[in-house]
PDB file of all heavy atoms in Angstrom:
ATOM      1  N   ARG A  47      32.439 -33.232 -17.578  1.00  0.00           N
ATOM      2  CA  ARG A  47      33.364 -32.084 -17.554  1.00  0.00           C
ATOM      3  C   ARG A  47      32.652 -30.796 -17.993  1.00  0.00           C
ATOM      4  O   ARG A  47      32.803 -29.748 -17.365  1.00  0.00           O
ATOM      5  CB  ARG A  47      34.559 -32.367 -18.494  1.00  0.00           C
ATOM      6  CG  ARG A  47      35.544 -31.202 -18.613  1.00  0.00           C
ATOM      7  CD  ARG A  47      36.576 -31.421 -19.732  1.00  0.00           C
ATOM      8  NE  ARG A  47      37.471 -30.282 -19.808  1.00  0.00           N
ATOM      9  CZ  ARG A  47      38.648 -30.204 -19.200  1.00  0.00           C
ATOM     10  NH1 ARG A  47      39.097 -31.200 -18.485  1.00  0.00           N
ATOM     11  NH2 ARG A  47      39.377 -29.118 -19.294  1.00  0.00           N
ATOM     12  N   TYR A  67      33.142 -34.824 -10.065  1.00  0.00           N
ATOM     13  CA  TYR A  67      34.540 -35.163 -10.406  1.00  0.00           C
ATOM     14  C   TYR A  67      34.793 -36.651 -10.135  1.00  0.00           C
ATOM     15  O   TYR A  67      35.438 -37.340 -10.926  1.00  0.00           O
ATOM     16  CB  TYR A  67      35.522 -34.309  -9.603  1.00  0.00           C
ATOM     17  CG  TYR A  67      35.806 -32.939 -10.196  1.00  0.00           C
ATOM     18  CD1 TYR A  67      35.457 -31.778  -9.514  1.00  0.00           C
ATOM     19  CD2 TYR A  67      36.435 -32.808 -11.432  1.00  0.00           C
ATOM     20  CE1 TYR A  67      35.726 -30.515 -10.049  1.00  0.00           C
ATOM     21  CE2 TYR A  67      36.705 -31.556 -11.975  1.00  0.00           C
ATOM     22  CZ  TYR A  67      36.349 -30.415 -11.276  1.00  0.00           C
ATOM     23  OH  TYR A  67      36.617 -29.184 -11.821  1.00  0.00           O
ATOM     24  N   ARG A  93      45.913 -34.954 -14.615  1.00  0.00           N
ATOM     25  CA  ARG A  93      45.103 -34.857 -13.386  1.00  0.00           C
ATOM     26  C   ARG A  93      44.431 -36.182 -13.023  1.00  0.00           C
ATOM     27  O   ARG A  93      44.072 -36.969 -13.884  1.00  0.00           O
ATOM     28  CB  ARG A  93      44.002 -33.787 -13.464  1.00  0.00           C
ATOM     29  CG  ARG A  93      44.503 -32.363 -13.581  1.00  0.00           C
ATOM     30  CD  ARG A  93      43.371 -31.388 -13.282  1.00  0.00           C
ATOM     31  NE  ARG A  93      43.783 -30.000 -13.467  1.00  0.00           N
ATOM     32  CZ  ARG A  93      44.475 -29.299 -12.577  1.00  0.00           C
ATOM     33  NH1 ARG A  93      44.852 -29.851 -11.448  1.00  0.00           N
ATOM     34  NH2 ARG A  93      44.805 -28.048 -12.820  1.00  0.00           N
ATOM     35  N   SER A  98      41.272 -33.583  -6.895  1.00  0.00           N
ATOM     36  CA  SER A  98      40.075 -33.483  -6.051  1.00  0.00           C
ATOM     37  C   SER A  98      40.455 -33.176  -4.606  1.00  0.00           C
ATOM     38  O   SER A  98      39.771 -32.407  -3.927  1.00  0.00           O
ATOM     39  CB  SER A  98      39.262 -34.781  -6.101  1.00  0.00           C
ATOM     40  OG  SER A  98      38.531 -34.851  -7.298  1.00  0.00           O
ATOM     41  N   GLN A 102      38.824 -29.709  -4.226  1.00  0.00           N
ATOM     42  CA  GLN A 102      37.561 -29.819  -3.486  1.00  0.00           C
ATOM     43  C   GLN A 102      37.837 -29.975  -1.982  1.00  0.00           C
ATOM     44  O   GLN A 102      37.185 -29.326  -1.168  1.00  0.00           O
ATOM     45  CB  GLN A 102      36.727 -31.015  -4.002  1.00  0.00           C
ATOM     46  CG  GLN A 102      35.982 -30.744  -5.306  1.00  0.00           C
ATOM     47  CD  GLN A 102      36.898 -30.514  -6.500  1.00  0.00           C
ATOM     48  OE1 GLN A 102      37.778 -31.335  -6.782  1.00  0.00           O
ATOM     49  NE2 GLN A 102      36.719 -29.418  -7.204  1.00  0.00           N
TER      50      GLN A 102
HETATM   51  P1  TMP B 301      42.176 -28.660 -16.486  1.00  0.00           P
HETATM   52  O1  TMP B 301      42.115 -27.163 -16.686  1.00  0.00           O
HETATM   53  O2  TMP B 301      43.484 -29.143 -15.963  1.00  0.00           O
HETATM   54  O3  TMP B 301      41.703 -29.430 -17.686  1.00  0.00           O
HETATM   55  O4  TMP B 301      41.124 -29.018 -15.314  1.00  0.00           O
HETATM   56  C1  TMP B 301      39.906 -28.392 -15.249  1.00  0.00           C
HETATM   57  C2  TMP B 301      39.688 -27.773 -13.904  1.00  0.00           C
HETATM   58  O5  TMP B 301      39.113 -28.737 -13.018  1.00  0.00           O
HETATM   59  C3  TMP B 301      40.940 -27.237 -13.208  1.00  0.00           C
HETATM   60  O6  TMP B 301      40.650 -25.925 -12.723  1.00  0.00           O
HETATM   61  C4  TMP B 301      41.136 -28.165 -12.050  1.00  0.00           C
HETATM   62  C5  TMP B 301      39.758 -28.684 -11.768  1.00  0.00           C
HETATM   63  N1  TMP B 301      39.685 -30.010 -11.135  1.00  0.00           N
HETATM   64  C6  TMP B 301      39.145 -30.112  -9.859  1.00  0.00           C
HETATM   65  O7  TMP B 301      38.777 -29.117  -9.245  1.00  0.00           O
HETATM   66  N2  TMP B 301      39.034 -31.359  -9.312  1.00  0.00           N
HETATM   67  C7  TMP B 301      39.384 -32.502  -9.969  1.00  0.00           C
HETATM   68  O8  TMP B 301      39.263 -33.616  -9.435  1.00  0.00           O
HETATM   69  C8  TMP B 301      39.941 -32.368 -11.303  1.00  0.00           C
HETATM   70  C9  TMP B 301      40.357 -33.584 -12.059  1.00  0.00           C
HETATM   71  C10 TMP B 301      40.077 -31.106 -11.840  1.00  0.00           C
END
Side-chain angles (χ1 to χ4, degrees):
R47 176 190 179 94
Y67 276 116
R93 295 195 184 280
S98 283
Q102 281 66 53

